Amino acid sequence: MKSNIELRKEILELVEEYYHAKFKTQPFQPGISVVPYAGRVFDERELVRLVDSSLDFWLTAGRNAEEFESEFANYLGLSDAILVNSGSSANLVAMSTLTSPKLKDRALKPGDEVITVAAGFPTTIAPIVQNQLVPVFVDVELGTYNAIPQQIEEAVSEKTKAIFIAHTLGNPFELDKVLEIAKKNSLWIIEDNCDALGSRYKNKLTGTFGDIATCSFYPAHHITMGEGGCVVTNNEDLARIARSFRDWGRDCYCGAGEDNTCGIRFSQKFGDLPVGYDHKYVYSHIGYNLKVTDMQAAVGVEQLKKLEGFVAKRKENFKMLHEGLMKYNDNFILPSATQNSDPAWFSFIITVKPGQKFTRNEIVQYLNTNKIHTRNLFGGNLIKQPAFMEIKKRVYGNLKNTDYIMDNTFFIGVYPGNGKEQIDYILEKLKGFIG
Amino acid sequence: MANPRKLKAKVVDMFDYCANVRKLKLQVEGTLPRFKPGQFLHLSIYDYDPSFNWPESRCFSLANAPNSENEIELVISKKGEYTSKIFDQIKPGDHVWIKLPYGVFNFDDSIKGSSILIAGGTGVSPFISFLRYILTTSLDPKIKLYYGIRDKEVFMIDNLISECISKLENFSYSFFIEQDPGNFNFNYSTGYLDVDGIIEESKLIPDTLYYLSGPPQMIKVFEDKLILNGIDNKNIRFDKWE
């Protein structure tokens, strides 16, 4: 009988063979092949590692999660990376972390305000509401689609305690100015880096400027593990709190299958519990269970090795689109990188200028008919969404640009699965539409 | 606390200070996570299979400064069944499993102010890590090390102390040796760590941080006495495991 080691080797060799049989790249056929706005890009290495992890049958977070967290923190140059099951969960954990009583007078309390934008993804806002905090919406700039720093500054009130904004579609927000506002007013900064992994501002990676940041590994993002996300920070106190919120709210930091990592499991005193109450079941936060499985993390470990290559391809695709669309400057507002930034673009965002013979919906329908996938800038103006209409909120100004984006903006893909053939096809179709 | 890792490590060197105190030097396979002086690891002499739970292990303070050579030093005192197995079964060339880094006993605050380090026996390990770390920097915080040992054979920091004396202007020490060593390289007192004397001496320096590391009974005595003498709880840090 073969040993488990021999069998494992055979299985993994077969998996590699299976990958080539199943996922062979198909040639691009204009008009027949779809041009996705995003998607998973992988090879046999992800599949082999995924199956290898499944053969461990550890199931919950294990060796691969540990490796990913460590390598991801190293990539960002931060002390801690806390894997969770989605970018939205990362946002929830990051926001909740700042409400921890362990932060004493710096902890956010119900009714405190958090400055954000409405032109974005709902789960940047949802954790603010879920934590009984009050979102304060400021407008964004057309072209960069990022929060306008002057509006952030003017929106700060006595109740404002944090800024929670995204680097929209990979384009860094004006970090110098936002950091200055935060410093001046003692505000926390959460960087929603879900769409911007690999972006740089003044040669420094986004996600490393704020107190805490979040990333997403949904298939549409720069790297994927299917479902997955991460909270990152260089503040070890915040990291421990974030782990607690992720892991049921417990005080103990043992990983799955571990006991007494702290070495003082039965000799501490917490709350009104008796001395020595098992630390494994001591809860310091009202938490969640948002961990990943080790199989998700296994895919992430291989994807992370490819991140820089993926980012380079995104930039290349973006450049081709930008050069090809420059001649339509009268028709479109094309995306522009924030000054001093080097974005790892999530997508190519386009806004239809006023006075065109066509609407955003018409061009989007045309593109989709030609198998070119498009997306709107997520929720448009989120405060007009059913879920957000009745929430407690404050709106600074009139969100004029946000409304304009809701009506006139869409994006197309620059993801690494697309190449010159797909980009040329997009440009050809747009030329056919505009004339 | 940086992201902990479970790593295989090879025992590359061993040194016995006496029959029941041994230094182990490990070469880690894989990327050694960043650790801080004062932190600890778990060491298991059993193989770790990621399909199953982490095997039985024991906590040991890291006794070297963070480095880029993937090396770790530990000082192990034979105290029970598990540490006896470490002594009896592990030899150079063998592999062990470690997971690290853990613990909040670190010296982040002491870099800015004045610190009293009080160690009993192998409890000096985290202070070795700290002092070695300080020597790799341009820092020179005010540090006084009180170190009590049973006899001179287990005095494991000759070279380190000499280097601290020559390179750190603000470093000082007091050593207590239970059995009179006769000749010894440094000034010392015969007997036990003198808790009252230490308190009396250190009270002259306001906002001093007290770091305690050693047998649990020693830590308890020192903690109680420090608090009794009006030392603020938040200025007392200790490193102890069950």
Side-chain angles (χ1 to χ4, degrees), chain A residues 62-127:
Chain A
R63 66 180 167 107
N64 286 292
E66 197 177 85
E67 181 170 345
F68 183 88
E69 286 181 333
S70 181
E71 294 301 327
F72 196 60
N74 286 345
Y75 167 74
L76 292 167
L78 300 174
S79 65
D80 288 87
I82 300 114
L83 255 181
V84 291
N85 59 7
S86 73
S88 298
S89 295
N91 282 348
L92 177 59
V93 168
M95 188 75 261
S96 303
T97 294
L98 301 185
T99 67
S100 169
K102 288 181 186 283
L103 298 172
K104 297 177 181 156
D105 58 340
R106 284 219 69 197
L108 272 65
K109 295 177 180 59
D112 284 347
E113 291 181 347
V114 180
I115 293 177
T116 187
V117 302
F121 201 72
T123 52
T124 312
I125 315 303

Side-chain angles (χ1 to χ4, degrees), chain B residues 193-212:
Chain B
L193 279 165
D194 173 18
V195 59
D196 297 317
I198 294 171
I199 290 167
E200 203 52 44
E201 199 174 26
S202 62
K203 273 167 85 174
L204 301 173
I205 314 161
D207 297 325
T208 295
L209 293 174
Y210 295 80
Y211 292 84
L212 312 176

